[in-house]
Every structure is written in C-alpha cells, then in structure tokens.
Amino acid sequence: MAEDDWEGVMGGSQFGAPGSFTPPPAAGDAGSNFISGLLTEPVSSESAQQASDAGNRLKTLAEGGQFAVNEEGFQAYMKACDFFLDGCDRMIVDLRILAEKARMGGSDYAKAVAVFNVKVADGEGDSLLPNLMKMRDGVRQAREAMVIARKNYRETEDAHTMTFSQLNKGLQAQ
C-alpha cells in the first residue's frame, strides 16, 4: 500500500489524553510513521530495529494516553498487523528450515553454498531470521498499542458524551 493510501486509514487516530487533544510529540502520525517504517529496507538490521523501536514507541504513547484510534482505524491497523504477522510467522518457519545446513554434496563449492545459505537465513547483521523476528516483535507491540489506543478513544468519547449530557441537563433545567 502506498504511503498516500494510508491517509484515509489514519483518519481515525488522534493524540492526547482521553477527553483532550494534544498535538503528537513529533510531526506526523505515530501509526503511519510506524507502518512506513515497515516498508523501507525490510531485510536490513537497521530497518528491523527501527520497526521494533517504532512498535515499542507506539505502545508507550498509547499506554500514556497520548494515542487513540477510533473503531474504523483500529480495524484497519489490526488487519495490517495481522496480515504482516501471519506472513511473517510462515516465513520464519521456512527460514528455520533454511537455517539448517543442507547436505549439498561433498565438493568445496557445495559446502560453501550450504554455509552461505545458513548465514543468509540465520547469521548476523542483515540475515533474514533475526531481522524478521525483530520486526515481528515490533508489529506485535504495535498491535497491542492499537488495543490500548481504541480503549483511549472510547474513554475520550465517553467523556465527551458525559460532558454533553451534563450540558444538556443544565440547559433543560433553565
């Protein structure tokens, strides 16, 4: 999905304590910043760490009451997170198979290819398995953040409903 396509999805999110609106701590939208972080260089260790950190930051914002999302935004986020997590879990299973040194023959070349395949799947740096797992953990944190953010939004709506109800009672009493 293109970055511009996320604007419609992001319309249901807000920042601030329930019952108030506070601008986000940084320019932009925490949710779309998180998602755009998933779409850049997904195999690099740096990008995987950024996705993990972004998920943690999003959860911290939600836990602090600084991020809220309405039901429509929540459903869109959950769909995106679940789509990523389902695919990621399948890839991790496949990569674990690749991370085992394959029997490719007795030649030096075959042995070198087998070692290389293990390093690509589960080595250090930009290898696939640890980076996918790091990204998966970030998306899991973001998914948890969405549950909290929906609760924050509902609390905000409840606070507004109570305020309007009290205002209406006051007007009727006059």
Side-chain angles (χ1 to χ4, degrees):
M1 187 176 274
E3 191 170 332
D4 293 343
D5 295 339
W6 286 104
E7 288 182 27
V9 172
M10 308 315 296
S13 58
Q14 74 176 48
F15 292 90
S20 71
F21 177 78
T22 308
D29 185 294
S32 88
N33 288 343
F34 170 75
I35 289 175
S36 67
L38 291 178
L39 303 176
T40 58
E41 301 179 51
V43 179
S44 80
S45 182
E46 182 178 315
S47 291
Q49 187 62 51
Q50 287 174 348
S52 180
D53 292 346
N56 289 325
R57 278 192 305 274
L58 195 60
K59 187 174 179 186
T60 299
L61 284 171
E63 288 173 334
Q66 298 300 306
F67 180 57
V69 65
N70 69 6
E71 188 63 31
E72 182 180 0
F74 171 79
Q75 292 300 328
Y77 277 122
M78 296 304 276
K79 185 176 178 180
C81 288
D82 289 344
F83 177 79
F84 179 86
L85 291 170
D86 290 345
C88 187
D89 287 342
R90 285 190 304 272
M91 284 188 276
I92 287 172
V93 168
D94 291 343
L95 283 169
R96 288 185 195 273
I97 294 167
L98 290 176
E100 295 177 20
K101 191 173 175 182
R103 296 181 191 166
M104 300 186 74
S107 72
D108 289 341
Y109 177 75
K111 290 176 186 176
V113 169
V115 169
F116 176 77
N117 287 343
V118 170
K119 285 182 182 177
V120 168
D122 194 15
E124 294 182 21
D126 288 339
S127 65
L128 296 170
L129 193 54
N131 289 319
L132 277 174
M133 292 170 75
K134 203 179 288 184
M135 290 176 73
R136 179 193 60 192
D137 293 345
V139 173
R140 283 180 177 165
Q141 292 295 311
R143 192 178 192 290
E144 291 176 23
M146 291 306 132
V147 172
I148 297 166
R150 179 176 62 172
K151 177 181 171 274
N152 291 344
Y153 185 85
R154 287 178 176 168
E155 288 174 358
T156 299
E157 288 299 300
D158 289 346
H160 288 227
T161 299
M162 290 190 63
T163 299
F164 285 122
S165 177
Q166 290 170 349
L167 180 62
N168 191 30
K169 285 179 186 178
L171 291 173
Q172 289 177 352
Q174 293 179 0

